[in-house]
Amino acid sequence: MKFGIVKERKNPPDRRVVFSPEALATLKSQFPQAEIVVESSDIRVFSDEDYKQKGFPVTTDLSDCDVLFGVKEIPVDALLPNKKYFFFSHTIKKQPYNQKLLRAILDKNIELFDHETIVDETNKRLIGFGRYAGIVGAYNGIRAFGIKFELFNLPKAETLNGKEDLVARLRRITIPPIKIVVTGNGKVGNGIVEILDAMKVKRVDVENFLQKKYSQPVYTQIDVADYNKHTEGKEFSREDFYQNPQNYQSDFARFTKVSDIYIAGHFYGNGAPVILSREMLNAADNKIKVVADISCDVNGPIACTLKASTIADPIFGYHPGEHKEVDYFHPAAITVMSVDNLPCELPKDASEGFGEMFLEHVIPAFFNNDKDGILQRAKITENGKLTPRFAYLQDYADGKV
């Protein structure tokens, strides 16, 4: 089995990689029979020399590899036929901009494994950069608050050396006694909390958050049951909510009345109720001044997320009365941070964490006959066709949607 680490070719450039040199060395020690080569790259956070020092050949030709690992989409003209590929393809939701990519993968007889489709037997995702999205998103949210109110000026996360450097910078600032509400209990939500805890922001439960005043900054982390309610006043049922989301509506307004910052790290399913509506943001009693939307569903559950912002230009102003973008210093503006590729700001930490997950959950499957079904569940294409699990993509692959 010969593995290849591909050069990232998507623009804007992404410096992340599936395996750091250290992680590859661990892979080789655990599975000595594995052959590994690295495609030369001048943008990767780890240099070609870093890999050479660990004993891995650096090349411009991956044509003799069996399995190729990348982070972002591989351009169609760079796809090698008859290979196994792992990368974020952004096709499983029938994203229009990647229809040609999926078509090319089928035409080139490629076996595609998407990082998003690597799940356990309960369909829980095993691989992702979510934790680092949460870490950087929380930092960026605090940074946006400081800029908006001219209280402090934190450097951009991309200019710092990693999570510990972010935390060190955050600990130097003084934050007024604000309230921060966090949605999401997964990897993203827990990444957010990791930063707030490291800053020594006090965690409080929902009822105290809603009712009490504090002399220090506090946060609460809420779940779908906290910010949704049944339209007929029935008791909230998690199972019913996921099966019949149309019977529920947002109850988030109770948080907008007391929160200064909203950091969104939730997963938003199709058909779920809007969370933060324009009406809530435009209400006279809305207190939210900054929204850090890490989930970044444009025109989705958070009305002020008008667009995905960029690492180069991460924040913009939202005018709730006019539902449009304005300067974030506008008196009526709510400041929005909606960068959709946050882990790129911590490429070293994110790559190291990603490689650890990959080593634990994916690589063993190549050497144990995939006894846990990891590869089988993740495989989107095989023998020029969609696998049964992903047959729903057929009309998309055929260009009919």
Side-chain angles (χ1 to χ4, degrees), residues 5 11 59 101 146 193 197 267 291 312 318 346:
I5 310 300
N11 274 317
T59 180
L101 174 62
V193 165
D197 288 345
F267 170 79
V291 175
Y318 170 77
L346 285 186

Side-chain angles (χ1 to χ4, degrees), residues 63-352:
S63 59
D64 61 345
C65 292
D66 303 298
V67 183
L68 298 166
F69 297 119
V71 177
K72 301 297 273 289
E73 298 100 313
I74 310 288
V76 168
D77 59 1
L79 288 168
L80 300 176
N82 309 311
K83 303 294 182 187
K84 292 177 170 62
Y85 271 97
F86 285 76
F87 57 87
F88 286 109
S89 71
H90 299 118
T91 58
I92 61 173
K93 294 181 182 177
K94 301 186 179 182
Q95 290 94 322
Y97 53 89
N98 280 334
Q99 187 272 334
K100 289 180 180 176
L101 174 62
L102 183 58
R103 184 70 258 162
I105 286 166
L106 291 165
D107 291 343
K108 294 189 177 193
N109 192 36
I110 287 167
E111 288 186 24
L112 172 63
F113 302 79
D114 192 301
H115 298 313
E116 286 192 66
T117 64
I118 299 170
V119 296
D120 65 15
E121 63 278 359
T122 68
N123 282 324
K124 179 185 176 184
R125 277 186 64 182
L126 297 172
I127 304 292
F129 288 104
R131 177 190 170 212
Y132 295 95
I135 286 169
V136 179
Y139 178 89
N140 283 1
I142 300 296
R143 179 176 180 268
F145 184 84
I147 292 171
K148 166 74 175 175
F149 294 103
E150 300 179 304
L151 295 173
F152 46 82
N153 200 351
L154 289 164
K156 284 188 173 183
E158 65 171 338
T159 66
L160 303 178
N161 293 323
K163 180 203 160 189
E164 297 311 315
D165 201 357
L166 264 64
V167 170
R169 300 298 177 122
L170 289 167
R171 284 181 173 168
R172 293 178 198 168
I173 63 174
T174 300
I175 301 176
I178 59 173
K179 288 184 173 181
I180 304 169
V181 59
V182 177
T183 50
N185 287 290
K187 288 184 171 67
V188 177
N190 292 333
I192 297 166
V193 165
E194 200 175 324
I195 285 294
L196 296 178
D197 288 345
M199 291 174 65
K200 310 294 187 190
V201 178
K202 180 181 174 67
R203 181 176 186 138
V204 298
D205 64 32
V206 170
E207 291 312 310
N208 282 330
F209 183 88
L210 292 172
Q211 295 170 13
K212 286 188 175 182
K213 290 189 176 180
Y214 292 89
S215 58
Q216 65 187 98
V218 299
Y219 81 90
T220 195
Q221 184 180 21
I222 61 176
D223 185 51
V224 288
D226 298 309
Y227 59 87
N228 290 285
K229 60 184 177 181
H230 199 283
T231 54
E232 296 176 5
K234 296 178 182 177
E235 187 175 345
F236 184 91
S237 161
R238 189 177 300 275
E239 184 178 349
D240 185 57
F241 174 76
Y242 289 123
Q243 290 181 354
N244 303 292
Q246 71 279 3
N247 294 336
Y248 292 81
Q249 65 187 42
S250 176
D251 195 23
F252 193 75
R254 60 197 188 126
F255 293 96
T256 66
K257 293 174 173 64
V258 299
S259 306
D260 300 282
I261 299 177
Y262 171 30
I263 308 180
H266 55 264
F267 170 79
Y268 180 70
N270 290 335
V274 163
I275 298 170
L276 179 57
S277 67
R278 179 184 172 185
E279 290 70 29
M280 291 178 199
L281 289 166
N282 198 34
D285 59 359
N286 171 50
K287 279 196 67 188
I288 291 177
K289 312 291 194 313
V290 171
V291 175
D293 187 0
I294 299 165
S295 299
C296 192
D297 291 300
V298 177
N299 299 318
I302 297 175
C304 55
T305 304
L306 301 177
K307 65 177 185 179
S309 57
T310 64
I311 292 172
D313 193 14
I315 60 178
F316 63 92
Y318 170 77
H319 194 302
E322 300 178 12
H323 190 58
K324 70 177 187 181
E325 181 180 345
V326 293
D327 187 284
Y328 53 79
F329 283 123
H330 187 291
I334 292 164
T335 301
V336 181
M337 188 293 303
S338 55
V339 175
D340 63 356
N341 58 341
L342 289 162
C344 294
E345 297 201 60
L346 285 186
K348 182 174 182 292
D349 287 23
S351 297
E352 289 170 347

